[in-house]
Amino acid sequence: MRIGYDAKRAFLNRTGLGNYSRWLIRSMVSYYPQNTYFLYTPKIRHQNGLSFPSGFQNVVAVVPRSKFFTSLWRSAGVVKDLKRDQVDLYHGLSHELPRGIDKKGIRSVVTVHDLIFMRFPQYFGAINRLIYSSKLKHACRVADKIVAISKRTKQDLIDLLNIPAEKIEVVYQGCDPIFKKDSSEQEKQAVLKKYDLPAEFILSVGTIEERKNLLQLINALPGLNYDIKLVVVGRQTAYFNKVKRAIDLHHIANRVIFLNSVSFDELPALYQSAKIFVYPSRYEGFGIPVLEALCSGVPVIAATGSCLEEAGGPCSQYAAPDDVNGLAEKLNLVLGDEGLRQKMIAEGREYSANFDDKILAGQMFDIYKNILQNA
């Protein structure tokens, strides 16, 4: 096969959609090297760790001829390059496909991560909602197959956009192999020392924005039976002011530590040093930090209501996103029962095997193969 990818975010985004794009491309290239892979991107940066152009013979990075109007190239003009490169199948990795691809005989797949802009429109501006909606509806209409990264996202596509269920396949997202390797005691101690962290702490990772619902965890802290600190890793938005006011109201400033400069390479040691990982987000497409925590051997407490039960599995604990007392109870339960904590760690590692890269790459390859065989 000659497979093309919308690789803009693989080269240019450090987190989120960039991580998904890099993970999928790496997995396909590694497990199915018989194919040729074309990565279409407005420009190339190498600092995000994507080294395919120099590291793999079966990967070709493609940039537009002109440095101008690159957005137009990505949304439509790239189709000419797909034809030139004799691409059999093009995969849009983040909710969109170029205009005109369906008229050129090129089969296509689009990955849909979430429909949060429809479920929670209050978190998005009107113009952004309009743009997201237009791109997503077009992609879902022209794609031969839609890949949802969770069952929750598949159901949202059915409920909110009336997409036929048979057009949608669920292929979960894996996480970077770095989280599956045990950090040495020296590495963990180095991270604790660098950020002046205590030996025991609760960890939460994610952008500090309203949807991620950190306020819930802050409000639960006073209800704990244990004087344990909370470490929060994530970029701060205007929502941080609400969080700070709650911290001041509860007089717990000495129990909350904010870190916003942790490098990706330091995250595994940080996860593995935590007593519990908490992810109280109201809504996610998948919730990759939950899987990162399970792979790192950390028990997880997450919120109900979206897809986090899929990511965390039956080995994790859950509380409703507005149930402060319920979250405090779950924290007290796990902190107070070391046997339960160890059981959650062991079963969490076992459950994380469902997201093995080889398994997920195989599911995606089957989708590609079936589309082309039925062309």
Side-chain angles (χ1 to χ4, degrees), residues 2 12 18 29 32 37 61 78 85 103 128 136 160 210 231 235 255 257-258 268 278-279 283 310 313 330 344:
R2 295 170 72 84
L12 305 181
V29 169
Y32 297 95
Y37 299 90
V78 69
D85 298 332
K103 296 178 174 63
N128 282 339
L136 179 59
L160 300 176
E210 191 156 358
V231 175
R235 178 177 59 85
R255 292 182 60 186
I257 301 168
F258 291 97
V278 182
Y279 202 63
Y283 214 82
E310 295 179 59
K330 295 295 184 181
M344 291 173 68

Side-chain angles (χ1 to χ4, degrees), residues 183-200:
S183 299
S184 67
E185 191 60 33
Q186 184 178 4
E187 288 171 325
K188 288 188 280 190
Q189 288 302 318
V191 168
L192 295 181
K193 182 177 180 181
K194 178 178 178 179
Y195 295 106
D196 193 23
L197 301 180
E200 294 187 347

Side-chain angles (χ1 to χ4, degrees), residues 75-127:
S75 63
V78 69
V79 174
K80 291 183 179 179
D81 292 339
L82 299 180
K83 290 296 289 184
R84 178 199 65 202
D85 298 332
Q86 298 179 310
V87 165
D88 299 306
L89 182 143
Y90 182 77
H91 190 161
L93 298 177
S94 54
H95 305 91
E96 57 186 299
L97 290 171
R99 302 276 172 179
I101 191 170
D102 53 321
K103 296 178 174 63
K104 296 295 184 179
I106 301 167
R107 311 310 292 266
S108 63
V109 175
V110 64
T111 292
V112 178
H113 297 264
D114 61 69
L115 274 73
I116 295 172
F117 75 96
M118 297 182 74
R119 285 289 185 197
F120 294 89
Q122 66 270 28
Y123 298 150
F124 301 84
I127 294 176

Side-chain angles (χ1 to χ4, degrees), residues 151-189:
K151 294 177 182 176
R152 177 67 266 169
T153 295
K154 177 175 180 175
Q155 194 60 50
D156 281 351
L157 283 164
I158 295 168
D159 294 344
L160 300 176
L161 292 179
N162 297 313
I163 306 295
E166 59 271 18
K167 191 175 184 177
I168 310 166
E169 297 289 345
V170 175
V171 179
Y172 288 115
Q173 178 180 354
C175 72
D176 195 286
I178 194 172
F179 295 99
K180 301 173 185 177
K181 299 176 182 177
D182 289 335
S183 299
S184 67
E185 191 60 33
Q186 184 178 4
E187 288 171 325
K188 288 188 280 190
Q189 288 302 318

Side-chain angles (χ1 to χ4, degrees), residues 249-278:
L249 180 66
H250 294 304
H251 305 290
I252 54 173
N254 63 327
R255 292 182 60 186
V256 186
I257 301 168
F258 291 97
L259 306 177
N260 57 15
S261 60
V262 177
S263 72
F264 186 75
D265 290 340
E266 292 172 325
L267 272 177
L270 194 60
Y271 272 111
Q272 292 172 35
S273 300
K275 198 78 171 173
I276 301 176
F277 178 78
V278 182

